Amino acid sequence: MHVIDHWDFDLAAANGKAAEIGMSRVHQVLDAIPGGDRRDSWRDDVLLVACELLTNAHLHTPGVTHLGIDIDGDRLTIAVTDQTTARPVPQPWRPDTPHGHGLHIIDHLATTWGITPAPGGKTVWAALPLERPAVSGARNRH
């Protein structure tokens, strides 16, 4: 991957507001991308994936420490680092409950996603195409 643009946000001192601050930063990045404010459907997908990553880390770990956003020419990658090495596990799909769907949503919207070790925790990341594909293809999970 050849990174063209990179945004790096330290959220360790956010005092319980990391998800809120992180989402604000994602909005700022999307506003800075040429055309990022005019592709509503694509923007909604990016915001939903970012929200799921940040919220999952906020709810299921001791804390969010970092948000990274990269553009490598044809995709945008959102990476959220938290303070636990425990890997997220997709919950069984239960349409009768409002919780437990985050990784299913990420898997559906991202072209690929994964988990990488980070100092003192892990990073969960998801990549989306810069342009929404006309036909949804196979997804790669790591």
Side-chain angles (χ1 to χ4, degrees):
M1 176 170 81
H2 174 57
V3 175
I4 296 172
D5 284 311
H6 174 76
W7 293 267
D8 196 34
F9 304 103
D10 181 0
L11 299 175
N15 296 326
K17 294 198 178 269
E20 180 181 335
I21 293 168
M23 285 306 296
S24 175
R25 299 301 179 255
V26 173
H27 279 275
Q28 290 172 352
V29 168
L30 292 178
D31 290 344
I33 297 171
D37 59 339
R38 293 186 304 276
R39 297 178 284 185
D40 292 338
S41 178
W42 173 81
R43 183 181 175 102
D44 290 346
D45 289 353
V46 171
L47 290 171
L48 184 53
V49 167
C51 184
E52 290 297 335
L53 290 172
L54 287 160
T55 300
N56 285 348
H58 173 75
L59 292 175
H60 304 293
T61 75
V64 178
T65 59
H66 179 262
L67 167 67
I69 302 172
D70 291 324
I71 294 179
D72 73 357
D74 63 349
R75 71 181 191 169
L76 178 139
T77 301
I78 303 164
V80 174
T81 303
D82 62 51
Q83 299 175 13
T84 183
T85 58
R87 296 175 64 88
V89 177
Q91 299 299 307
W93 180 258
R94 292 187 48 205
D96 59 327
T97 181
H99 302 289
H101 301 128
L103 290 177
H104 295 285
I105 292 169
I106 291 167
D107 189 54
H108 180 75
L109 295 177
T111 54
T112 187
W113 67 275
I115 304 155
T116 54
K122 69 176 172 310
T123 300
V124 182
W125 55 269
L128 293 94
L130 281 177
E131 294 291 334
R132 178 175 243 193
V135 176
S136 182
R139 295 182 183 359
N140 298 316
R141 287 173 216 83
H142 300 283

